[in-house]
Amino acid sequence: MIGHGAGFMIGDHMATTQAAHRPRSRALGLLALPLAFVLAVQPALAQSPSPAVVPPDAFAVDLSAFDLPPDASLAAHAALPVSDDPPIPDGVAPREVAARAAALVADADPALANIALLAERLVYDPIAAFELVRDSIGYDPYAGALRGAAGTLAARAGNDVDRALLLQALLGQMAVRSRLVVGTLGDEAAEAVAARAFAGTAEPLAAMPVDPQELGDIDALLARARRDHALVRTALGDRLDEAGAAAVSTDGTPQPHVWVQLAQGADWLDLDPTLPDALPGDTLAEGGSILDAVPEDWRHTVTLRVVAETLEDGALAERTVLDHELDAAAAAHDDIHLALQPESTDLGQTIGEALGGAAGWLPALFVGSEVIRGSAFPVLPAGDIFTGEREGPQVSRLILEVTIASPRSEPRTTSRVLVDRLDPVARGMDEIPADALAPLTMRQGVPVELSEVHHIQVSTGAADARAHQVWRQIAALFSELLQLDPEAAASYGFPMATLPMTVADETLVLASERLIRDGVDRSPMVRAFVAEPRVYLTSVGPA
């Protein structure tokens, strides 16, 4: 995991720890998923074991193991041995995976994962929508707009901004006019809102469980959770009670507060579902001004940069070759992959390479159905077709930088080296000879070092568990095709070929957002929730 931000309510304070979903967007065109394959999946699923044979207790996980441990155990937990490899289930047949996923989907209420269906379930009653958000959506006191409407429904919780966005989205499906309003909380109201985070929900919505089969070795997962908690908790020390208190202040500083107003003829009815006993017409905040849209500085963002370092004439130089900002609320529901590709595959480029010209490559970022291409960098120096000598810059290192920016927090950047052709000793030299670069490993004319695919996941606490299980069925059957007919599977191309990996990676995010969070929530006087975007990176080689 590149970076994370998690919120914990302890007593009446919030602490934020830091370290170095609209519906999931999987466009069929981008995935190179022909209709023929989609049609083929349906009879294949029909031939799988009936979901009825999967017992309900197959999805039970003992959350007591994830209770927040006492401080006395921190030293022992910090020394726990952990593996850097994610736990992988052994000997699981694709048809069994598909059957278990189908059983989970069949048992889930689709209206609880879809705003349009939920509005229909509420018989298009605006007051029923207000009551659902008040009674069934928990309150998480983070800052800004983190999850959006669909993400708040998926998380079953949100702050005042995201809960208002969910309520407004439901009202929009009911074809009634509404608007967002922002006012300020006084000290007494802020204390009531802080207490609201511990109140829970009167009528919680059913949540799809995490399939323990996906987690593999739960003991290994638990060991890492305990080790990581011990390291973070020890690093925070006495600051735990002080960190992140700005999210909900009770010191008299006015705090912004957002709610919804419903149009009733020429009048507007306040709908503020924050407190458990709120009624239509009640308001917590003082003043109030209309919000045409959520302000930009309220958004949580994740910026991805690829920095190419090149060596020329003994000196190193860096250049940003891709720089793209993601809205965290949207990115949490997108498939995001980073890959490297030749600058051009047209005839002219092919001839140029044959004559010894420099081979330029560029980063390509796949975000849902969108492809963002960066600028090219030289992989090899240019060659002289007469002398055979090569001159000019060539890539020495590629770095992925991830910057997480959240309201009321300083932006934080973490780097991950994707490719490095220089050892530390050579990198420290005043003048670096070209032969200090490790040679690229060529396979069928392609540098293996540039052939990795990097799966990037943005976590906001709003992972869509139902969509995950739907795609898990397709991924399981595609993995079976990979085994039985690799050539046919290869014909689907990138990123369809990465679908089994992509779906498997989602499991760890779901486990963190749901299973581990719910386990920590069991501890007395503690509220655990995702308070800022977290970014997970999984890289796989050409195999």
Side-chain angles (χ1 to χ4, degrees):
M1 185 169 70
I2 287 183
H4 67 266
F8 298 88
M9 288 296 298
I10 302 177
D12 59 353
H13 300 286
M14 191 192 84
T16 301
T17 66
Q18 301 170 2
H21 263 170
R22 56 194 179 190
R24 174 163 295 279
S25 176
R26 285 197 173 117
L28 299 187
L30 173 65
L31 287 171
L33 185 61
L35 181 60
F37 179 75
V38 179
L39 295 175
V41 166
Q42 302 305 323
L45 281 176
Q47 296 166 11
S48 299
S50 167
V53 305
V54 182
D57 60 1
F59 306 113
V61 177
D62 181 10
L63 292 181
S64 64
F66 292 93
D67 284 356
L68 202 63
D71 286 356
S73 65
L74 292 180
H77 286 178
L80 285 172
V82 299
S83 171
D84 288 334
D85 296 324
I88 300 175
D90 294 325
V92 179
R95 295 298 176 93
E96 179 187 350
V97 172
R100 291 174 69 94
L104 283 167
V105 173
D107 192 51
D109 184 347
L112 302 185
N114 183 286
I115 291 175
L117 293 178
L118 185 56
E120 181 181 2
R121 176 71 55 81
L122 297 173
V123 294
Y124 302 102
D125 180 352
I127 302 304
F130 164 78
E131 292 172 345
L132 179 131
V133 175
R134 180 193 65 190
D135 299 337
S136 301
I137 303 296
Y139 187 87
D140 288 346
Y142 51 81
L146 174 65
R147 297 172 185 160
T152 302
L153 178 59
R156 306 296 196 255
N159 69 349
D160 58 309
V161 181
D162 282 334
R163 292 168 101 240
L165 289 173
L166 172 58
L167 177 54
Q168 188 177 45
L170 286 168
L171 297 176
Q173 291 292 328
M174 298 175 181
V176 296
R177 287 193 303 136
S178 65
R179 64 189 186 189
L180 297 177
V181 182
V182 59
T184 56
L185 293 175
D187 194 45
E188 184 177 347
E191 289 181 356
V193 171
R196 171 67 181 88
F198 288 97
T201 53
E203 300 175 9
L205 300 178
M208 180 178 287
V210 176
D211 186 352
Q213 183 199 65
E214 295 189 79
L215 301 176
D217 187 349
I218 292 185
D219 289 339
L221 183 69
L222 178 61
R224 168 154 318 251
R226 286 177 171 168
R227 195 283 305 267
D228 290 353
H229 167 264
L231 294 177
V232 173
R233 177 67 182 85
T234 301
L236 283 172
D238 295 337
R239 293 174 295 161
L240 183 62
D241 292 336
E242 302 172 4
V248 176
S249 173
T250 58
D251 62 1
T253 303
Q255 297 294 310
H257 181 73
V258 175
W259 70 98
V260 175
Q261 287 184 339
L262 172 69
Q264 290 189 328
D267 299 323
W268 293 91
L269 176 66
D270 290 305
L271 297 179
D272 185 350
T274 303
L275 298 184
D277 58 353
L279 296 174
D282 292 348
T283 56
L284 275 172
E286 301 168 359
S289 58
I290 299 170
L291 277 178
D292 294 326
V294 174
E296 284 296 307
D297 60 358
W298 288 13
R299 295 189 307 129
H300 295 249
T301 62
V302 173
T303 299
L304 305 175
R305 297 184 191 88
V306 176
V307 178
E309 177 192 78
T310 55
L311 174 64
E312 182 178 17
D313 297 332
L316 298 172
E318 288 188 351
R319 180 168 61 92
T320 298
V321 293
L322 184 140
D323 190 333
H324 187 71
E325 182 183 273
L326 301 167
D327 178 81
H333 302 281
D334 277 328
D335 285 329
I336 305 172
H337 293 90
L338 174 67
L340 302 169
Q341 63 182 50
E343 180 180 7
S344 174
T345 55
D346 62 24
L347 183 60
Q349 178 71 15
T350 303
I351 293 175
E353 291 175 359
L355 293 176
W361 281 56
L362 54 81
L365 186 66
F366 298 79
V367 182
S369 58
E370 183 181 9
V371 182
I372 300 98
R373 290 183 170 84
S375 55
F377 56 88
V379 174
L380 297 173
D384 188 312
I385 63 174
F386 299 105
T387 66
E389 296 180 356
R390 290 183 174 272
E391 295 181 348
Q394 57 181 313
V395 69
S396 53
R397 182 166 65 174
L398 291 173
I399 302 171
L400 173 64
E401 293 183 349
V402 178
T403 298
I404 295 173
S406 298
R408 306 181 201 165
S409 296
E410 291 297 321
R412 302 175 309 285
T413 299
T414 304
S415 300
R416 177 67 57 84
V417 176
L418 304 180
V419 176
D420 195 348
R421 299 173 63 193
L422 276 175
D423 63 40
V425 174
R427 187 172 294 282
M429 298 171 63
D430 292 334
E431 185 172 344
I432 304 172
D435 60 8
L437 290 176
L440 294 169
T441 306
M442 306 302 291
R443 181 179 297 169
Q444 297 180 340
V446 175
V448 171
E449 291 81 359
L450 305 183
S451 301
E452 284 192 324
V453 174
H454 309 280
H455 180 208
I456 299 166
Q457 297 179 92
V458 177
S459 163
T460 64
D464 189 335
R466 187 176 186 277
H468 169 72
Q469 295 300 335
V470 170
W471 282 98
R472 187 180 170 211
Q473 297 173 65
I474 299 174
L477 295 176
F478 186 75
S479 70
E480 185 175 59
L481 181 64
L482 283 169
Q483 297 172 18
L484 299 177
D485 193 345
E487 290 188 7
S491 68
Y492 289 96
F494 172 80
M496 179 60 191
T498 68
L499 182 61
M501 175 197 76
T502 299
V503 172
D505 290 346
E506 291 172 0
T507 300
L508 294 181
V509 177
L510 278 166
S512 173
E513 291 190 0
R514 295 275 306 283
L515 188 147
I516 295 176
R517 181 209 65 190
D518 290 350
V520 173
D521 256 346
R522 291 165 39 90
S523 304
M525 294 301 291
V526 170
R527 276 282 288 112
F529 55 96
V530 177
E532 296 178 338
R534 304 177 300 166
V535 177
Y536 293 74
L537 174 67
T538 307
S539 301
V540 295

